[in-house]
Amino acid sequence: MASRVLSLRIDGDLWDRIREHAAKRGMSAQDYVVSTLVRDDFDERFQTAVDETARFYGQDGCTQAPQSAQSTQSRAPHCPQSPQSRPSAGIR
């Protein structure tokens, strides 16, 4: 993978905090910044995948039973081929 150079100006106090965070982890400031950006990029891509999965399966994973059936049955969701859990279960 090719690397690129990014040059930027940051506040002196922020730079000091970045160096402190990096030192606690035994990293250079550059490695710390890059790992932070990679982690943030992963989080965004993961959240996008979760959102797309939720849209694909529907927001709550299944629909409510028809109104006439609800009067005689419990009000639990009606899922004809219900998976064990939703794809986004436990993620938020």
Side-chain angles (χ1 to χ4, degrees):
M1 173 168 40
S3 64
R4 304 285 188 262
V5 174
L6 172 66
S7 176
L8 52 104
R9 282 184 203 274
I10 60 172
D11 179 70
D13 291 335
L14 176 58
W15 176 246
D16 292 340
R17 288 193 307 273
I18 289 171
R19 290 183 52 179
E20 288 173 13
H21 292 304
K24 287 179 188 176
R25 292 163 178 79
M27 306 169 77
S28 68
Q30 176 179 331
D31 289 342
Y32 176 78
V33 169
V34 169
S35 68
T36 301
L37 290 171
V38 167
R39 185 176 347 113
D40 186 60
D41 177 61
F42 172 82
D43 291 346
E44 285 187 32
R45 289 183 294 126
F46 184 79
Q47 186 60 50
T48 299
V50 168
D51 293 343
E52 288 176 6
T53 301
R55 273 194 303 277
F56 179 78
Y57 286 104
Q59 198 64 334
D60 59 357
C62 55
T63 60
Q64 290 289 334
Q67 194 68 7
S68 60
Q70 282 187 352
S71 60
T72 58
Q73 298 175 353
S74 69
R75 296 195 179 262
H78 174 68
C79 301
Q81 295 177 337
S82 177
Q84 293 296 319
S85 65
R86 294 189 335 219
S88 61
I91 302 172
R92 291 279 168 180

